[in-house]
Amino acid sequence: MMREFREVFSKVKGLPRNIKVLAAGWLLWSPVQAMSGPYIQLYVSRLGATTEDISIVQSLQQLANAASRVIGGYIADRHGRKKIIIIGTLLVSLIYLLMVFAPDWRSYAILTGLNSLSLFYQPALEGIQADSVMLQTRGRTYAFVNFLSGLASSVAPLGGAAAVNALGIVDGVRLSFLLSAIVGFFITWMRLRYMEETLPTSDNHGGFVEAYRKALAVMKQHITNLILVDVILNFLGGVTFLGNYYMYYYLGVDKTGLGLLATLGGVTGLLFTLPAGYIADKQGRGFSILWGHILGTLSLLVFVLTPPHTSYTMPLLAFSSLMGSLSGPLYGIAYSTLRADLVPKEHRGRVYALMGIPPVIAWSIGAIIGGWMYNALSPHTPFVAGLILRVLLTPLLIVLFKSVTLVIDQQLTGNGSPAR
């Protein structure tokens, strides 16, 4: 395995220039964004939001992002990548600066919605990454890029813990927003100065409606079942998304504990990222996705069984976090590479945009249901319900996993037709 990774590392100098620029930007930006991760739900509650309000805010944020990606996907395929990436990066940085001054949760909700709309450039980022690597090394290359971006962000929650302990939750999170704005402005300049356009302007796709009609045809041909998998898992993730809120207010984990758990998961996930990329290439996408799902289910099981306010609470949550941090890279890298495997280069911007809409709707519905159950029934209910549904749906998911990975895994093992 180490020999395989040395081959990938030896090709870093040969990677396209824009990929290097993007990786450098993620290396700088991810840590300051990740600082506030464990505390966002607590922050919004301190601004006056209820659990149901938090669910709605998160849902609207996801839906706004999905809608913006439809526009961004069309532009990325027809008018190229660079301009849309730079404009979007600048807008996100400006909105981070405005978020520092949000006086209440409603103002914050509006700004996060605008932030999500400004992420219309994500299909261009994803398209560049997918365009640049071959199928046979895609898992390891994706893992390497993720590893670089996670080097600092994996321990960033400790910085967030220090900030919220010193300044309080509200001002500590606002410090993260301010740093995200400053770093974002620098990354905007860096991308403007050093990125190179990789996809020339094209009129081959026709108008907006015609371009997306072609994209829908590609989706129907290749990835309908992959979208169904994503819809199911995102719905279940939405139901259980109040995890940090639950740990703080119900299980009794303090602010430092939240930071430590996030850091433990981040560091473990980072260390497992490169092996996960190797596994996705050598054992196949199906193997990785299946075991990612199994470990994720076991992680949720331990989380549900964790009692509040006992000497076992933190150790059990740590164990849950460890399993979740193994599940994430296994599933995430295999999913990202499989999506790139299945979608032709010239359609990736639009198809990636459309693929994001059903899962986001499913997540938003799940989050609203989870928030209602948390508030109306009990804090424990959404997590128990999510676990039960996850177990019951596992046989169906296994069938879907096999159907969406079979052809690609045959190509990886030499038993199928050559890859594009």
Side-chain angles (χ1 to χ4, degrees), residues 14 23 27 59 130 136 158-159 209 253 316 383 394 404:
L27 180 63
S59 299
Q136 286 78 8
L158 289 180
V209 174
V253 179
L316 286 172
F383 304 99
T394 290
V404 298

Side-chain angles (χ1 to χ4, degrees), residues 311-330:
S311 59
Y312 300 106
T313 300
M314 278 297 290
L316 286 172
L317 290 175
F319 185 55
S320 173
S321 178
L322 283 172
M323 284 193 291
S325 62
L326 297 177
S327 164
L330 271 177

Side-chain angles (χ1 to χ4, degrees), residues 72 135 138 240 247 311-312 317 322-323 363 369 373 409:
L135 180 145
R138 193 168 277 147
T240 60
M247 286 190 288
S311 59
Y312 300 106
L317 290 175
L322 283 172
M323 284 193 291
W363 188 96
I369 292 173
M373 286 193 295
D409 285 350

